[in-house]
Amino acid sequence: MNKHPALDLVERARALAPLIAREADEIERTRRLTPTVTSALIENGLYRVLLPQSFGGTEAPLEIFMQMQEEIAKVDASTAWCLGQCSVCAMTAAYLDHDAADEIFNTPPGILAWGAIAHEVHVVPGGYRASARWDFASGSRQASWLGAHVRVTEADGSLRKKPDGAPEIRTILFPATSATMHDVWDAIGLRGTGTDSYSVDSLFVPDKFACLRDVPSACREKGPLYKLTTNAVFGMGFAATSLGVARATLDASIALARGKQPQGLGAMRENSAVQGLIGRTEATLRAARAYLYATAAEVWRDLSRGDPVTESHRIALRIATTWTIHQSASVVDTAYHMTGATAVFAANPFERRFRDMHTIAQQIQARDTHYEDAGRAILSARLDTSPTTR
């Protein structure tokens, strides 16, 4: 059987582990991915995993993207986070005019990053005028283009609305050189992501660089990947990132337990409490991973055979994402505490992963309110919650 060509991306990610490991301390210190790591990710095509094939991207299945994220996160969470963020941003090509997408993604380095939804742009002849500042732009320090998700104010001062009355949200895109970067990312974890802020002042954005992202009627690509919203794919990628961090932390604690003998106590490997804790924690991690990947596979199967994305799909992805991140944090906590005082030293592979994991768990994809959203949908009796068997 021939393997899927996208599988090569997972192998490339795994092969980059030694290089990323050597650069990880510098990434942490400078709060940026190093040029060496960025170049390696570009040269191996990892930023193009979700870019449409029509633009020379891989357009990989969801599971391949997740596996790639997991492998990179085992080595450095900040690198994985930036890669995941910018990879999903590339899905925007599916909503752009061909020439605009080609200019953004096929002019080296071809990396797009953006921050949170905020502010408005004003309609002007030929496009939009923007003056605003946006936050939480992970991967922006490697990006050649930046984006912003904005409401639209018409020439008469009214707010542009969708048919349902909600404000229309446009994603505007502009060269990174058009923006002013603000160095604000001094966080306890994911320090190397450079999740900074950026601003523009009276910037003109041509019509062709403003799109209706995640609006099905505006999508120009037919593949199953682009039936999913970027928000859903962000969630699955970041959940896979959390699995990678958890796997690496637990493996490090297992390696330590094999050789450590705490003062005044017997060897950790012979301690029944430690043995039981490792067994249960291993089961927790395997269960979380199995659930996340099974959910991705079920949704992908439906979309690949032509089914539209449904509310059931959305809820399934949302709760799998949230629960996996929470379970990964639990695994990291257990592994961290099990190692005792050893875990607090920066020279050991625990404290950075502990900080990174808890920063991931504070992000929007891990909000407890996602469970409320799921519960409300389930209680509405309009949602099919039975496992699919087709």
Side-chain angles (χ1 to χ4, degrees), residues 63-333:
E63 182 178 2
I64 297 299
F65 168 60
M66 292 160 58
Q67 289 180 19
M68 181 189 80
Q69 287 298 113
E70 199 174 356
E71 290 300 324
I72 298 295
K74 290 176 184 176
V75 191
D76 182 63
S78 289
T79 301
W81 192 270
C82 288
L83 178 61
Q85 174 80 10
C86 295
S87 295
V88 177
C89 290
M91 291 175 64
T92 308
Y95 299 88
L96 288 166
D97 288 340
H98 189 279
D99 289 348
D102 189 62
E103 181 177 347
I104 293 169
F105 297 106
N106 287 329
T107 302
I111 299 173
L112 170 66
W114 59 48
I117 295 176
H119 307 299
E120 299 173 4
V121 293
H122 296 268
V123 174
V124 295
Y128 304 88
R129 185 74 62 183
S131 294
R133 173 169 167 165
W134 298 272
D135 303 318
F136 297 107
S138 297
S140 56
R141 294 296 178 168
Q142 295 81 53
S144 47
W145 283 72
L146 296 172
H149 316 303
V150 294
R151 297 176 293 274
V152 177
T153 299
E154 303 284 10
D156 63 3
S158 64
L159 195 63
R160 182 179 295 176
K161 301 289 186 66
K162 297 189 295 185
D164 65 2
E168 177 183 285
I169 302 296
R170 288 253 165 187
T171 295
I172 59 171
L173 307 172
F174 44 87
T177 53
S178 299
T180 299
M181 300 300 302
H182 304 277
D183 187 347
V184 299
W185 187 248
D186 191 5
I188 66 167
L190 295 179
R191 289 180 60 80
T193 59
T195 304
D196 288 320
S197 301
Y198 56 103
S199 62
V200 297
D201 183 21
S202 194
L203 177 68
F204 174 69
V205 179
D207 276 324
K208 71 175 184 177
F209 293 115
C211 66
L212 291 171
R213 178 183 60 99
D214 292 340
V215 176
S217 61
C219 187
R220 300 166 184 262
E221 296 287 335
K222 303 302 182 184
L225 177 63
Y226 307 105
K227 295 179 183 180
L228 296 168
T229 65
T230 53
N231 191 48
V233 182
F234 272 133
M236 297 302 278
F238 293 150
T241 297
S242 74
L243 287 174
V245 176
R247 179 75 270 168
T249 310
L250 182 57
D251 284 351
S253 70
I254 291 169
L256 181 130
R258 285 172 178 152
K260 183 176 180 178
Q261 184 164 341
Q263 186 175 3
L265 299 173
M268 284 185 70
R269 67 179 180 274
E270 296 172 0
N271 185 308
S272 60
V274 172
Q275 294 166 355
L277 188 60
I278 287 175
R280 287 190 294 272
T281 307
E282 181 70 28
T284 296
L285 181 55
R286 292 190 189 195
R289 188 178 191 276
Y291 172 37
L292 184 73
Y293 277 89
T295 302
E298 289 177 359
V299 172
W300 190 261
R301 180 201 59 209
D302 290 350
L303 301 184
S304 295
R305 68 184 177 201
D307 293 356
V309 69
T310 66
E311 179 72 353
S312 292
H313 290 139
R314 186 186 73 81
I315 292 297
L317 293 171
R318 172 56 67 203
I319 59 176
T321 293
T322 307
W323 191 81
T324 297
I325 294 173
H326 292 169
Q327 293 303 303
S328 295
S330 175
V331 168
V332 169
D333 285 352

